[in-house]
């Protein structure tokens, strides 16, 4: 992180530094667009619930700074109070904080132990100017990189020693080699510091901390000659107000919902702490424990025909006799050895839960289709996988049969449709995903060919009278099949294929077939149901066992 702060301090524009007290607040400072982090001794002490008075040791502050540095890419200035002792202590302090990755540090001329500049009724004494100048010289001599910024801070105005003393100290520290001088003030307005800046006759840049004179603008600070403004404790103070407010509200109302609209969503927390990275790394590096493929369940869509049943939760979370559809699916997959299950959520995603599964979100579910949802889980498609819709209940034996298929792409086809349609049973409402294979199930008895029959056509365009069966919304891809699917997605995306965002899974299966890919039917005869309508849901309750 060396070499990044000094050019900022020596630039012509003022740099804004946000105070952070831990890694998360540092991320928020960075997210808000500040140019640097001030690792605040006041804040780092406050989150341990101790005063800012050298109560915490160098080691404790160093640990906090290390975590802050690890969490952000912008330069971090370590607030090192008085350097934790004399010039000899400062040598070690510089070594430690530079090695921890700080871009620079700040050392103030308070005696050890220091007291926060704003505390009233406490002893306040400064070390002699020569002593502090010696500490600054020691700091610049101890740094390994010349880019590691040493900021000297004078508390002369805080201690009531007046402008002349402040200028004299600041000049001495600049001459001792400081890269910048922080001149601290607890005046209620900017006049005191403006007076200081007007008399400042050195090229060494000035730093201000507008805490007690908050009405000054950064433009005014810049015009007065300051090159850095540190907003040292505002994130911490904002957090205290928000935490207190939320806790009191929950306590008085007895309900967490009373604060739901003013707390960060869990997803926001996940994003801040790097859960997407964790998920990606799991997929890259974790051994899943077996050679079983993973399963990808698409449960993102909103289906208006099921309102108001799905007002509060998506279809996959509907309960059938005490267990949700998703839970039933996960259990059935688990019985077949599939433990790595990825669920693509969208509509009411916060309601989608199931033990032991991983989630991927399709936040554009309202304007996208199944294929888009499937490719939201693209990282899960880098090996063999079973695909299924989030609205089917099925016997585990169907998955077992599918897993035994030796095909790169296999789809489960219910041959009962053929007989039921010919027996005059209604095919149901809405378009069905029907299938034409190369072997029509002629006659009363039928044994599919070894290895399954190839699918010729699949999707809602297949008319019931020509269909040989119904696709149940479950398919398996070998590693090779998955690679072909990904290649096709890549081809269609690159070609900006019209309607791709809304494409269905059967459309992509048909596109694979049209490109010569063998898609094999795994035949079943009943043993599953789809929840697409109220009537389906009612039937599921009547027929499914607990
Ligand atoms: C800190 O944030 O710890 C500082 C700035 O040193 S101040 O609290 O304003 O002294
Ligand atoms: Mg401090």
């Amino acid at each position: 992180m060396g070499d990044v702060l000094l050019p900022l301090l020596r630039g012509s524009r003022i740099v804004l530094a946000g105070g952070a007290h831990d890694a998360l607040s540092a991320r928020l400072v960075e997210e808000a667009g500040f140019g640097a982090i001030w690792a605040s001794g006041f804040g780092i002490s406050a989150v341990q619930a101790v005063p800012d008075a050298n109560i915490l040791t160098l080691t404790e502050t160093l640990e906090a700074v290390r975590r802050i540095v690890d969490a952000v890419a912008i330069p971090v200035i370590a607030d090192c109070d008085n350097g934790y002792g004399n010039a000899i202590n400062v040598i070690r302090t510089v070594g430690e904080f530079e090695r921890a990755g700080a871009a620079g540090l700040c050392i103030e001329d308070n005696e050890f132990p220091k007291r926060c500049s704003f505390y009233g009724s406490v002893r306040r004494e400064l070390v002699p100017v020569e002593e502090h100048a010696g500490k600054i010289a020691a700091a610049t001599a101890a740094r390994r990189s010349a880019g590691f910024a040493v900021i000297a801070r004078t508390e002369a105005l805080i201690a009531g020693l007046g402008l002349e003393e402040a200028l004299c100290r600041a000049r001495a520290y600049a001459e001792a080699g400081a890269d910048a001088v922080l001149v601290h003030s607890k005046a209620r307005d900017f006049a005191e510091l403006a007076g200081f800046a007007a008399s400042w006759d050195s090229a060494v840049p000035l730093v201000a901390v507008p805490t007690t004179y908050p009405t000054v603008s950064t433009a005014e600070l810049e015009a007065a000659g300051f090159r850095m403004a540190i907003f040292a404790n505002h994130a911490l103070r904002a957090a205290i107000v928000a935490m207190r407010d939320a806790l009191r509200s929950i306590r008085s109302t007895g309900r967490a919902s009373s604060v739901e609209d003013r707390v960060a969503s869990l997803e926001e927390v996940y994003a801040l702490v790097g859960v997407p990275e964790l998920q990606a790394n799991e997929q890259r590096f974790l051994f899943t424990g077996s050679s079983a493929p993973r399963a990808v369940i698409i449960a993102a869509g909103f289906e208006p025909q099921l309102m108001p049943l799905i007002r509060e939760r998506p279809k996959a979370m509907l309960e059938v006799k005490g267990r949700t559809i998703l839970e039933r699916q996960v259990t059935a997959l688990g019985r077949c050895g599939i433990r790595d299950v990825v669920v693509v959520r969208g509509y009411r995603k916060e309601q989608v839960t199931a033990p032991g599964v991983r989630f991927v979100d399709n936040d554009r579910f309202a304007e996208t289709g199944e294929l888009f949802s499937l490719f939201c889980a693209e990282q899960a498609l880098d090996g063999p996988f079973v695909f299924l819709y989030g609205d089917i209940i099925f016997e585990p034996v169907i998955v077992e049969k599918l897993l035994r298929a030796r095909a790169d792409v296999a789809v489960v086809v219910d041959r009962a449709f053929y007989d039921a349609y010919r027996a005059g049973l209604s095919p149901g409402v809405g378009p069905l995903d029907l299938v034409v294979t190369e072997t029509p199930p002629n006659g009363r008895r039928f044994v599919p060919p070894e290895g399954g029959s190839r699918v010729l056509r699949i999707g809602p365009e297949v008319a019931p009278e020509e269909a040989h069966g119904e696709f149940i919304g479950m398919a398996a891809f070998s590693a090779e099949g998955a690679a072909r699917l990904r290649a096709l997605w890549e081809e269609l995306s690159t070609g900006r294929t019209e309607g791709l965002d809304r494409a269905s899974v059967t459309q992509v299966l048909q596109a694979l077939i049209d490109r010569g890919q063998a898609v094999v039917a795994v035949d079943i005869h009943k043993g599953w149901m789809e929840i697409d309508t109220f009537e389906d849901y009612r039937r599921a309750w009547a027929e499914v066992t607990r």
Side-chain angles (χ1 to χ4, degrees):
M1 205 30 88
D3 298 354
V4 281
L5 187 57
L6 284 182
L8 287 179
L9 279 167
R10 291 175 184 154
S12 57
R13 302 306 310 267
I14 191 164
V15 183
L16 306 191
H21 47 272
D22 59 12
L24 184 66
S25 56
R27 282 232 161 120
L28 293 168
V29 170
E30 182 177 47
E31 183 190 87
F34 283 81
I37 304 272
W38 169 254
S40 160
F42 179 91
I44 292 168
S45 302
V47 295
Q48 301 301 327
V50 298
D52 180 17
N54 280 137
I55 308 288
L56 294 187
T57 62
L58 175 151
T59 317
E60 287 166 296
T61 308
L62 180 65
E63 188 53 33
V65 169
R66 192 172 277 133
R67 287 176 195 280
I68 288 173
V69 167
D70 285 350
V72 295
I74 55 177
V76 175
I77 305 164
D79 171 9
C80 287
D81 297 338
N82 35 31
Y84 303 99
N86 65 17
I88 307 306
N89 300 91
V90 164
I91 292 172
R92 181 192 179 218
T93 301
V94 169
E96 294 289 347
F97 282 85
E98 189 176 4
R99 270 195 299 280
L105 51 53
C106 178
I107 303 179
E108 66 206 28
D109 52 11
N110 275 315
E111 67 166 13
F112 185 95
K114 63 85 56 79
R115 282 85 170 161
C116 166
S117 313
F118 305 131
Y119 296 163
S121 310
V122 292
R123 220 174 97 180
R124 188 171 300 290
E125 273 174 42
L126 308 192
V127 295
V129 56
E130 297 78 6
E131 179 174 339
H132 199 62
K135 286 163 76 168
I136 296 303
T140 58
R143 63 185 165 193
R144 283 183 302 174
S145 158
F148 182 78
V150 173
I151 302 175
R153 161 167 160 182
T154 181
E155 295 279 292
L157 297 176
I158 299 280
L161 303 179
L163 183 61
E164 277 318 310
E165 176 69 13
L167 280 165
C168 151
R169 283 178 172 259
R171 285 186 193 117
Y173 306 156
E175 272 160 33
D179 297 302
V181 172
L182 189 164
V183 51
H184 209 5
S185 163
K186 60 180 177 186
R188 294 282 146 201
D189 62 46
F190 179 50
E192 182 178 55
L193 265 203
F196 180 97
S199 308
W200 184 238
D201 44 12
S202 157
V204 172
L206 293 178
V207 179
V209 186
T211 301
T212 57
Y213 48 97
T215 54
V216 69
S217 70
T218 52
E220 285 170 288
L221 286 166
E222 185 177 281
F226 288 90
R227 286 295 162 261
M228 178 174 277
I230 298 175
F231 297 87
N233 45 40
H234 298 83
L236 172 77
R237 287 157 65 199
I240 291 171
V241 170
M243 287 194 273
R244 182 175 276 151
D245 170 63
L247 292 167
R248 285 185 178 161
S249 174
I250 294 172
R251 180 77 181 81
S252 67
T253 62
R255 274 183 216 283
S257 60
S258 67
V259 299
E260 206 57 36
D261 59 351
R262 54 200 146 115
V263 294
S265 69
L266 291 176
E267 282 71 22
E268 282 178 79
V269 181
Y270 303 160
L272 276 170
V273 304
V275 171
E277 201 182 334
L278 172 132
Q279 288 165 334
N281 283 338
E282 277 210 355
Q283 284 177 28
R284 275 184 73 195
F285 303 122
L286 283 199
F287 175 60
T288 50
S290 73
S291 59
R294 61 171 62 103
V296 180
I297 301 175
I298 303 297
F302 165 71
E303 283 161 61
Q305 79 277 10
L306 276 173
M307 286 295 270
L309 198 57
I310 57 162
R311 191 186 303 286
E312 305 297 337
R313 62 225 140 138
K315 193 156 64 162
M317 293 308 288
L318 289 178
E319 250 181 48
V320 179
K321 297 213 175 123
R323 288 162 66 213
T324 65
I325 298 174
L326 181 59
E327 221 178 310
R328 286 177 177 274
Q329 292 187 327
V330 172
T331 309
L333 291 166
R335 288 215 188 119
C336 305
I338 301 180
R339 311 214 184 278
D340 185 9
V341 180
V342 178
V343 178
V344 183
R345 313 177 291 187
Y347 171 65
R348 291 245 175 253
K349 65 179 180 185
E350 68 290 349
Q351 300 297 328
V352 183
T353 55
V357 309
R358 294 186 284 138
F359 295 108
V360 170
D361 295 338
N362 175 5
D363 290 323
R364 291 183 54 211
F365 67 89
E367 77 255 24
T368 57
E370 297 155 8
L371 188 63
F372 186 90
S373 284
L374 180 61
F375 272 86
C376 286
E378 186 161 3
Q379 283 177 324
L381 312 183
D382 66 347
F385 74 95
V386 167
F387 157 84
L388 55 152
Y389 291 144
D391 63 355
I392 53 173
I393 296 176
F394 50 86
E395 293 176 330
V397 64
I398 295 179
V399 182
E400 280 167 19
K401 196 168 178 195
L402 178 63
L403 293 180
R404 282 200 301 272
R406 290 181 189 280
D408 284 330
V409 185
V411 295
V412 179
V413 174
D414 183 5
R415 294 279 187 174
F417 175 87
Y418 183 85
D419 301 326
Y421 185 72
R422 274 158 190 78
L425 294 179
S426 154
V429 291
L432 299 175
D433 286 332
L434 298 177
V435 176
V436 176
T437 67
E438 59 184 4
T439 49
N442 281 330
R444 203 157 69 83
R445 307 200 197 279
F446 171 74
V447 176
E450 181 97 23
S453 43
R454 277 175 78 146
V455 174
L456 302 176
R457 288 169 56 217
I458 185 165
E461 299 79 18
V462 174
E465 53 279 11
E466 53 177 345
H468 300 156
E470 181 181 2
F471 172 52
I472 76 161
M474 188 189 293
F477 291 78
S478 70
E480 182 58 36
R484 301 248 173 87
L485 176 71
R486 292 197 313 273
L488 177 56
W489 171 258
E490 176 76 33
E491 175 197 321
L492 299 176
S493 309
T494 316
R496 298 185 183 282
T497 306
E498 173 120 11
L500 184 62
D501 277 3
R502 286 199 173 270
S504 64
V505 163
T506 53
Q507 279 174 311
V508 82
L509 287 167
Q510 187 66 55
L512 282 168
I513 296 167
D514 295 345
R515 282 161 173 74
Q517 171 66 48
V519 172
V520 165
V522 169
D523 291 338
I524 61 160
H525 199 89
K526 304 187 180 177
W528 69 288
M529 59 172 48
E530 171 191 30
I531 316 292
D532 212 19
T533 60
F534 273 105
E535 180 52 22
D536 291 339
Y537 188 50
R538 198 197 53 72
R539 269 193 28 240
W541 266 90
E543 292 173 20
V544 168
T545 58
R546 202 164 284 281

